[in-house]
Amino acid sequence: MRIFRNIYFIISFLFLIFLGNNYYKYQFDKKIVFVDKSKEELILYFNEICLGAEYGNSKKVTRKWKTPLNLYIVKDKNYKEQIDFITESVEKINELVSDNFKISISNDPINANGHLFLCSDEKLKTYPEPFKKIFNNVNKNSFGFFNYNFRENIIHNTSIFINTSKPIEFQKTAIIEEITQSLGFGNDSDLYSNSVFYQAKYDTKKSVLSFSEFDKKLIQLLYNKKIETGLNRLETEQVLREIIK
């Protein structure tokens, strides 16, 4: 019996270690409640990235597309490597989104609802309005930039800039980040260095050419049909806890 008792204590001890590593522990009314750590971290990260935008003073609520994005690429040279990476990034995003949304590369600049400019910051200054005003704050230090317009928190067009005067690895880093941010992921973060939303990647000379697991989950969550536009932090937390398993 002593042997079985010892085995029981060992198993119980190991189980508690597992809980400590994977769950937050809270105590309410002398009862211990375990909350999934990864789930809570994902919810916090979602709200940091998806509520509002890093530019301007817009409300901290969810925004996303409700119609397909037809993206036209404006370029002054061939840029085959960059175009290939844009296509690859779009394909990755389309594998993750739902809610009747997808991105298509368009050959029609007039009817496109998104324009991606592949050029130097100097060349960008030569393009006419409304793009001159949109990219007014871009300078030689800019790696990339995005802007989207929305009505009732539904995004209806976007303008993206990729600075081709920068090294190719950082052009690609800007491509995957700026395209993704233009979909409603408006903020950067210092939390995860393997994320396309990592704030310090250019300062630390770190290229990020693919989505992290958290990035993929954020894209899937924002473009889940249960996530409506205009949700604030408290509302997203409630809905996300229902969605995330």
Side-chain angles (χ1 to χ4, degrees), residues 67-202:
T67 55
L69 165 56
N70 298 310
L71 186 65
Y72 180 79
I73 301 171
V74 183
K75 58 187 187 299
D76 59 347
K77 295 180 183 177
N78 186 24
Y79 296 124
K80 182 181 185 306
E81 188 171 356
Q82 292 91 329
I83 300 278
D84 287 345
F85 192 73
I86 290 170
T87 302
E88 178 185 329
S89 300
V90 165
E91 288 174 352
K92 288 179 180 178
I93 292 170
N94 283 339
E95 290 173 358
L96 296 168
V97 294
S98 55
D99 203 14
N100 298 316
F101 174 76
K102 72 171 185 175
I103 307 173
S104 299
I105 304 298
S106 174
N107 294 317
D108 183 354
I110 303 300
N111 293 311
N113 53 5
H115 295 81
L116 189 154
F117 290 78
L118 274 177
C119 60
S120 68
D121 56 285
E122 287 298 321
K123 177 65 177 178
L124 188 68
K125 296 174 184 177
T126 68
Y127 288 105
E129 299 292 1
F131 302 110
K132 184 172 288 189
K133 182 178 181 180
I134 290 171
F135 295 122
N136 182 55
N137 292 323
V138 168
N139 56 53
K140 64 180 181 180
N141 297 318
S142 303
F143 288 82
F145 182 86
F146 81 95
N147 177 82
Y148 57 61
N149 293 310
F150 59 88
R151 288 188 295 268
E152 297 180 353
N153 298 308
I154 298 173
I155 303 171
H156 57 84
N157 67 51
T158 185
S159 301
I160 301 167
F161 165 65
I162 306 299
N163 194 342
T164 55
S165 66
K166 301 298 183 182
I168 186 62
E169 291 302 296
F170 291 118
Q171 291 181 50
K172 291 180 177 179
T173 295
I175 285 169
I176 194 169
E177 177 191 13
E178 305 301 340
I179 292 176
T180 308
Q181 287 201 296
S182 73
L183 307 182
F185 305 88
N187 300 290
D188 291 331
S189 171
D190 291 320
L191 286 178
Y192 305 107
S193 62
N194 64 336
S195 170
V196 299
F197 308 113
Y198 184 51
Q199 175 76 48
K201 54 184 172 290
Y202 300 119

